[in-house]
């Protein structure tokens, strides 16, 4: 795999997955170690956050520092008693503004595409250099899980998380060679059914597994319908929950050693 992507211009595609997306950092670490850089980055949700950081020239160690700074989820969100979401994005807005400042989608070192969903009509929206949009706004759109985080409004349109339409954005790659990292792939769910003593724990696990299965099958459909050369990495994330941001060190390690 390494030789193939070294000798070809390729698109790096990073999936969404909440805290599981921190595993992308392990892959970025190995790419840096091999002195391999993509010609384009496509990201959804957490993959979009990490991909955007890489696109503006941040090293993996710097991105990891940012992840650690807001890993404790209740330090960077606050509960909101109005609107359509459980939490408000005010603190995240300030964090992303600190990282990306006034950079727009056209101002990246590596061409960047971020996938969101138009919540009015359900259509996929891909933010790229052709959009006169701040990177932080595109990120707040791609990561806005409906009902959890506030939806984000840009130019009168309301956007939510890109996982609703394409969690692994292989269809948006400009190059024929793709290195895709899917933290919600086949290795993200247990093959056995939940078997906890308490019914509540089983219900929660079933809900999370169902979401992973739904996203996995969506991704498989996209992969089967493309004629591009995809090198697919699927870190083993099944032992972790999508909300366990405090386990950033362990989850990052899941992405290490995937390149062979």
């Amino acid at each position: 795999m390494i030789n193939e992507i070294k000798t070809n211009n390729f698109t790096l595609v990073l999936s969404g997955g909440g805290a599981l997306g921190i595993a992308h950092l392990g892959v970025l670490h190995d790419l840096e170690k091999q002195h391999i850089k993509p010609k384009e980055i496509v990201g959804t949700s957490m993959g979009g956050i990490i991909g955007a950081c890489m696109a503006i020239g941040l090293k993996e160690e710097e991105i990891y520092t940012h992840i650690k700074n807001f890993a404790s989820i209740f330090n960077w969100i606050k509960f909101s008693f109005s609107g359509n979401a459980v939490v408000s994005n005010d603190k995240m807005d300030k964090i992303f503004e600190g990282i990306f400042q006034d950079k727009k989608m056209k101002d990246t070192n590596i061409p960047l595409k971020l996938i969101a969903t138009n919540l009015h009509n359900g259509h996929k929206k891909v933010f790229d250099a052709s959009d006169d949009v701040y990177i932080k706004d595109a990120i707040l759109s791609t990561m806005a899980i409906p009902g959890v985080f506030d939806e984000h409004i840009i130019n009168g349109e309301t956007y939510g998380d890109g996982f609703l339409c394409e969690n692994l954005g292989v269809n948006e790659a400009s190059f024929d060679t793709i290195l895709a990292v899917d933290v919600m792939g086949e290795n993200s769910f247990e093959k056995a059914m939940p078997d906890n003593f308490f019914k509540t724990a089983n219900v929660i696990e079933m809900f999370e597994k169902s979401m992973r299965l739904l996203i996995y099958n969506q991704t498989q459909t996209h992969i089967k319908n493309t004629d591009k050369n995809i090198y697919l990495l699927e870190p083993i994330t099944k032992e972790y929950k999508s909300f366990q941001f405090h386990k950033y060190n362990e989850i990052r390690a899941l992405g290490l050693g995937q390149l062979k």
Side-chain angles (χ1 to χ4, degrees):
M1 178 190 301
I2 291 178
N3 289 333
E4 285 80 358
I5 61 175
K6 267 187 175 180
T7 55
N8 289 282
N9 291 333
F10 73 95
T11 297
L12 176 65
V13 178
L14 304 177
S15 77
L20 306 182
I22 299 172
H24 292 314
L25 292 175
V27 177
L28 264 59
H29 174 273
D30 290 350
L31 286 172
E32 284 183 16
K33 190 175 179 181
Q34 294 289 334
H35 305 289
I36 300 172
K37 281 188 177 182
K39 291 294 184 181
E40 177 186 59
I41 300 171
V42 178
T44 302
S45 203
M46 180 57 83
I49 297 172
I50 291 173
C53 289
M54 184 184 188
I56 65 169
L58 296 186
K59 298 295 185 183
E60 187 271 335
E61 185 177 356
E62 296 174 287
I63 304 171
Y64 186 41
T65 298
H66 286 303
I67 293 295
K68 287 190 288 185
N69 285 341
F70 59 76
S72 182
I73 193 165
F74 289 105
N75 287 339
W76 50 271
I77 60 176
K78 64 180 180 180
F79 284 99
S80 173
F81 294 100
S82 62
N84 302 320
V86 176
V87 295
S88 174
N89 292 353
D90 291 349
K91 292 186 179 180
M92 285 187 291
D93 188 300
K94 291 179 181 177
I95 289 173
F96 292 139
E97 186 173 348
I99 297 172
F100 300 103
Q101 300 176 7
D102 60 353
K103 287 184 173 65
K104 294 189 174 183
M105 292 296 293
K106 64 183 180 181
D107 298 325
T108 58
N109 299 348
I110 301 172
L112 174 67
K113 294 177 180 176
L114 298 176
I115 298 173
T117 305
N118 187 311
L119 294 180
H120 290 296
N121 55 32
H123 295 170
K124 177 169 62 177
K125 169 62 181 175
V126 182
F127 292 102
D128 60 21
S130 68
D131 293 291
D132 186 28
V133 169
Y134 291 108
I135 295 174
K136 76 174 184 68
D137 285 318
I139 287 176
L140 287 169
S141 297
T142 187
M143 61 164 285
I145 302 172
V148 178
F149 297 115
D150 283 334
E151 60 272 15
H152 198 64
I153 300 174
I154 300 176
N155 298 327
E157 296 290 348
T158 305
Y159 296 102
D161 200 301
F163 87 86
L164 294 169
C165 50
E166 190 170 8
N167 195 58
L168 186 70
V170 293
N171 288 321
E172 305 310 321
S174 300
F175 295 96
D176 289 333
T177 300
I178 299 172
L179 176 61
V181 188
D182 188 7
V183 300
M184 296 287 277
E186 187 173 6
N187 294 326
S188 72
F189 52 87
E190 296 283 358
K191 303 303 185 287
M193 299 294 286
D195 188 24
N196 298 292
F197 179 79
F198 291 106
K199 178 179 179 180
T200 303
N202 287 330
V203 170
I204 293 171
E205 283 194 24
M206 277 302 299
F207 178 77
E208 175 128 357
K209 180 174 182 177
S210 297
M211 289 300 298
R212 295 189 190 194
L213 288 171
L214 185 154
I215 293 170
Y216 168 70
N217 281 295
Q218 173 211 80
T219 295
Q220 287 300 301
T221 298
H222 289 308
I223 289 175
K224 289 173 183 176
N225 287 313
T226 182
D227 57 359
K228 304 220 169 167
N229 185 23
I230 300 176
Y231 294 95
L232 180 63
L233 305 180
E234 296 177 295
I236 302 173
T237 57
K238 61 186 177 182
E239 298 296 329
Y240 296 90
K241 306 300 183 187
S242 57
F243 55 82
Q244 291 179 321
F245 288 90
H246 63 289
K247 295 191 175 182
Y248 52 82
N249 193 48
E250 298 96 319
I251 296 175
R252 173 186 175 272
L254 301 177
L256 295 171
Q258 295 286 309
L259 294 173
K260 296 176 183 177

